[in-house]
Amino acid sequence: MNRIYSVWKYICRKKYLIVTVLGVVFVGFVGENSILKHAQNRILINEMKAEISTYETQHEQAEQTLKELKHNPKAITKIARERYFMKADDEDIFVLSDDGKTETGTKENETAE
């Protein structure tokens, strides 16, 4: 019983300190508007700003391409050939590839028997 009384007496003497520490802990770490949440939100805001700048540069490039397409008809054929692998009616396309072939015409991992 004496021990409980001494603990109670200690709490009564240090009540302002205990309340202050508990308040700081609650505001700093536990609450909905805690300092940790603010730090996480700041990081998220910075990431989103970087993403916005990336999208703005992509938008500017797309606008330039669209402006070029409206004023230059040769740009349409250039984009069609580069991006969509289209060809004109009167031309033939030959694809030359040497992936994996040696000088004798056999593949490197094949053995001649």
Side-chain angles (χ1 to χ4, degrees), residues 78-109:
K78 178 183 175 189
I79 289 177
R81 289 173 186 258
E82 289 177 357
R83 291 188 187 170
Y84 304 111
F85 306 110
M86 294 183 171
K87 65 179 186 83
D89 290 335
D90 61 342
E91 65 183 13
D92 294 325
I93 297 177
F94 296 98
V95 178
L96 304 175
S97 175
D98 61 346
D99 8 313
K101 293 187 179 182
T102 60
E103 293 176 8
T104 59
T106 60
K107 293 188 178 181
E108 293 175 3
N109 58 0

Side-chain angles (χ1 to χ4, degrees), residues 26-56:
F26 182 76
V27 168
F29 303 103
V30 179
E32 186 177 317
N33 296 322
S34 67
I35 295 171
L36 291 176
K37 294 272 187 183
H38 281 287
Q40 291 172 349
N41 289 338
R42 287 283 179 200
I43 291 170
L44 187 62
I45 286 171
N46 290 336
E47 290 174 357
M48 287 183 175
K49 284 182 180 179
E51 192 174 336
I52 286 171
S53 66
T54 304
Y55 286 135
E56 284 177 348

Side-chain angles (χ1 to χ4, degrees), residues 53-65:
S53 66
T54 304
Y55 286 135
E56 284 177 348
T57 57
Q58 288 178 357
H59 178 70
E60 290 172 2
Q61 290 173 353
E63 280 185 347
Q64 289 176 355
T65 305

